[in-house]
Each structure stands twice: as structure tokens, then as C-alpha cells.
Amino acid sequence: MIMAPPKIEAFASREALFDATASVLVAALNDAVAKRGHAGFAATGGTTPAPVYDRLATLTLPWDKVTVTLTDERFVPPSDASSNEGLVRRHLLVGAAAKAAFAPLYFDGADPEEAALKAQDGVAAALPFGVVLLGVGGDGHFASLFPGNPALEAGLDPKTARSVIAVPPGSPAPDLPRISLTFQALIQASLIVLLVTGQAKKALLEAPVDPGLPIAAILNQDRAPVRILWAE
Ligand code: 6PG
């Protein structure tokens, strides 16, 4: 059933967007801890979320009851500038938030498939997520589930037993091997927040959403509520 996509919540500036996103995340995590005694948070990588994580790290949360993992990872060590683990460790797991547990997707010495299998136990400890923060690519990808990629079908399979998969490099993207949470893992969440900037990505998310875009799977599912937070 194709559902109307969630309405886009527009903010007057990126600063306002980042403030609002951090507030939504901390409320969802506090709610999950209150309900279940623990909260899992699946954090996106990319170039947008760092200011959100900087804000989130300063907010009041029983961080020792939170497990942070990633929606996806570039297959590089945390010390690499393009590492999402590195991004989260620099911007989120600092100060009081350093008390949170972290479930990595990258493991030294493992190949992508071995890493994906190894990551599943840590991700399982964070499921069901209190909240998932996703970015959206200009090609409609989310996490590391890219249009046309050989791993896309497995990644979007609602019946897969996998929560984490290896994603090979592809053309035009991704340029590096990736590790990605699967669609069925990501929707095991009390809330999915899409953090989006710019007109082009906003247009992707306005009805009618192209059903061929990976992000359409997130917008069309009815397991996890979705909020789209956007600024220019
Ligand atoms: C990554 C992300 C990816 C990202 C989108 C949007 O590892 O790059 O997880 O899915 O969220 O590509 O990226 P920007 O925030 O850079 O636009």
C-alpha cells in the first residue's frame, strides 16, 4: 500500500534544524529509557549530522543506558577522515555522552562480510531502536542502500534475517565498500527521523515519491513513525 509520505517539517535555518533534531532525538531516547530501561540509537553518517551530534552530546540523558550504533559505515578504520565511527566518536561520544555504549560496524582485520556478520550482535543489543537518524542521498539512498547496487535487494528485503550487510562499491556510488544496516533492522524503531537539507532532496521527499528510490521503502512502511526535518 503506497502511503502518503510524512509531511516535511521545514525550519527557517540549518541552526534551527539542528536544534530541533537534537531535541527530537533526546526526547525519543529519554522516552525509550523510561519505557524499556534502555535506548538504542542508530546514527547516520555523512556531512550533515555533526552539528546535531554536537548538540545532542550536551543534552541530559541517562547515557549509560544508551547504546549507539551506526546506520551504516564506510569500510575504513575509525581514524580515517571518512569514517562514520570516527564522526560519532568526535561529535557525539564526548563529555557525558561518552558513557554510552557503542556498537561498531567496522572491525580491523575483518573483510566487509565478516565485519557485517560480526556487527550483528552489537546491533542486536541496540534493537529495537528508540530512534533512528537517517540522511538521504541525492540519489534517494539511505544508510548505504544505493540505487542499482547489487546489495540493494538484500538490504531492502523486509523478510531478511540479516540486520547488517556488506555493500560493494558501485557506480556511481558508493566509492568505498560499505557496511549497512538493513531496512528491516532500521524500521525496528519507535521513531525514524530523516535529516534533510537543500531543495533537491526536499523534492525527492514530496508526494508523489518515486517508488524506485530506496528511501521510498522508509516512507511507505507503517512499522515505524517517520518525521522529515528539513531546512534549505
Ligand atoms: C553516509 C551516510 C549516508 C548519508 C547520505 C546523506 O555514510 O554517507 O550514512 O547515507 O546519510 O548520503 O549524506 P549528507 O548528510 O552528506 O548529505
Side-chain angles (χ1 to χ4, degrees):
M1 174 182 75
I2 300 294
M3 300 170 59
K7 71 176 177 55
I8 296 173
E9 299 171 60
F11 293 87
S13 69
R14 292 201 179 184
E15 292 307 300
L17 170 67
F18 299 148
D19 289 344
T21 304
S23 298
V24 169
L25 295 175
V26 77
L29 291 169
N30 270 312
D31 188 45
V33 172
K35 284 185 178 142
R36 291 198 293 268
H38 179 262
F41 173 36
T44 185
T47 62
T48 305
V52 173
Y53 299 148
D54 291 335
R55 287 161 170 81
L56 185 56
T58 68
L59 298 179
T60 301
L61 194 60
W63 285 104
D64 60 333
K65 295 187 173 55
V66 175
T67 297
V68 178
T69 190
L70 297 164
T71 60
D72 62 317
E73 180 61 283
R74 292 83 178 277
F75 199 70
V76 293
S79 55
D80 188 294
S82 64
S83 164
N84 288 339
E85 175 174 342
L87 170 82
V88 162
R89 287 191 181 282
R90 285 192 304 277
H91 292 277
L92 178 57
L93 302 177
V94 294
K99 294 193 192 75
F102 179 73
L105 303 186
Y106 174 87
F107 296 89
D108 272 331
D111 70 26
E113 178 58 18
E114 289 164 344
L117 287 168
K118 199 167 176 178
Q120 294 207 134
D121 287 347
V123 169
L127 286 172
F129 296 121
V131 65
V132 172
L133 182 67
L134 283 176
V136 180
D139 57 1
H141 81 262
F142 65 93
S144 282
L145 302 179
F146 290 85
N149 189 283
L152 180 64
E153 186 179 350
L156 292 181
D157 179 359
K159 294 184 173 43
T160 182
R162 294 289 292 269
S163 56
V164 189
I165 60 168
V167 176
S171 171
D175 55 347
L176 291 169
R178 299 277 191 106
I179 306 290
S180 185
L181 265 57
T182 57
F183 165 78
Q184 75 79 14
L186 288 164
I187 63 172
Q188 293 177 54
S190 300
L191 176 64
I192 296 174
V193 176
L194 300 190
L195 175 66
V196 184
T197 57
Q199 281 300 339
K201 292 182 181 181
K202 181 185 181 192
L204 285 184
L205 303 172
E206 290 169 327
V209 174
D210 175 352
L213 298 179
I215 194 63
I218 293 288
L219 299 175
N220 292 335
Q221 55 78 33
D222 58 5
R223 164 65 179 71
V226 176
R227 290 183 67 174
I228 304 172
L229 309 183
W230 173 84
E232 179 65 58

